[in-house]
Amino acid sequence: LITDEYNIDADIRYNHEIYDEFIELADKLGVGIAFENMADIDGRRRFGTTPEEIIALIESYNSEQVKACWDFGHVNRCFTDRVRPLVQIGPYLRATHVDDNIGRDDLHTIPFFGTIPWPEIMAALKQINYSGDFNFELSCFRRIPETLLEHLGRYIYEVGTYLIELYDKA
């Protein structure tokens, strides 16, 4: 949520009001927290869309438990250069939301079903030495009949394997 689209400090203070108690608990328990990059939608500016905003929020906590979750679909909706923001967030990256879209709606579909340049993304992940998981965010398949889920699961596994191959070759 954005409180003032021109005042990052106000947005960070607002986020602290919401998340401070959770960050304190995460620190106490040694549990990681990851703030996800957002997407500007419906012509409205949202805090957390740019790497600079996410980094400022993370650094405001001064905690090793607080990092970033990078949603590739959100980046594809907001930026034509999807690699530079990924490299910029690299030192803070803890998790990913792997999904694809065609740059407008957040379709949450399988990689290569949209316009994200996956070979470039995998090379950037290799460049920043990302070693975390690929968390597929595929809500577009909510209506798939149960008899097809196993086949779909195998296909998604193959796509994930292919992405790892691209990473390894980069």
Side-chain angles (χ1 to χ4, degrees), residues 10-142:
D11 291 315
I12 289 172
R13 282 192 303 276
Y14 181 73
N15 275 271
H16 274 269
E17 290 174 22
I18 297 168
Y19 297 113
D20 278 0
E21 67 182 292
F22 301 107
I23 303 300
E24 288 172 22
L25 183 59
D27 278 337
K28 180 180 174 183
L29 298 174
V31 172
I33 298 284
F35 286 108
E36 179 178 350
N37 60 303
M38 296 288 95
D40 295 337
I41 56 172
D42 299 327
R44 301 292 310 226
R45 181 72 183 92
R46 292 181 74 187
F47 175 74
T49 299
T50 68
E52 294 86 359
E53 291 168 346
I54 295 292
I55 290 168
L57 179 60
I58 291 167
E59 289 180 347
S60 75
Y61 278 100
N62 196 29
S63 168
E64 282 302 310
Q65 302 308 326
V66 180
K67 298 292 182 189
C69 173
W70 202 243
D71 187 308
F72 296 105
H74 290 174
V75 173
N76 199 43
R77 291 183 71 187
C78 298
F79 299 99
T80 54
D81 181 350
R82 283 72 119 220
V83 172
R84 188 181 62 79
L86 176 57
V87 171
Q88 191 173 353
I89 204 75
Y92 303 89
L93 189 59
R94 168 170 285 142
T96 61
H97 279 173
V98 177
D99 61 286
D100 210 335
N101 60 45
I102 56 172
R104 290 190 308 268
D105 296 326
D106 204 9
L107 300 175
H108 294 111
T109 192
I110 298 173
F112 303 102
F113 279 45
T115 58
I116 294 175
W118 291 104
E120 293 174 24
I121 295 299
M122 292 301 110
L125 287 170
K126 178 97 175 230
Q127 176 185 340
I128 63 172
N129 296 312
Y130 179 70
S131 61
D133 294 329
F134 291 160
N135 300 299
F136 284 83
E137 188 177 27
L138 305 174
S139 60
C140 68
F141 297 108
R142 290 186 182 125

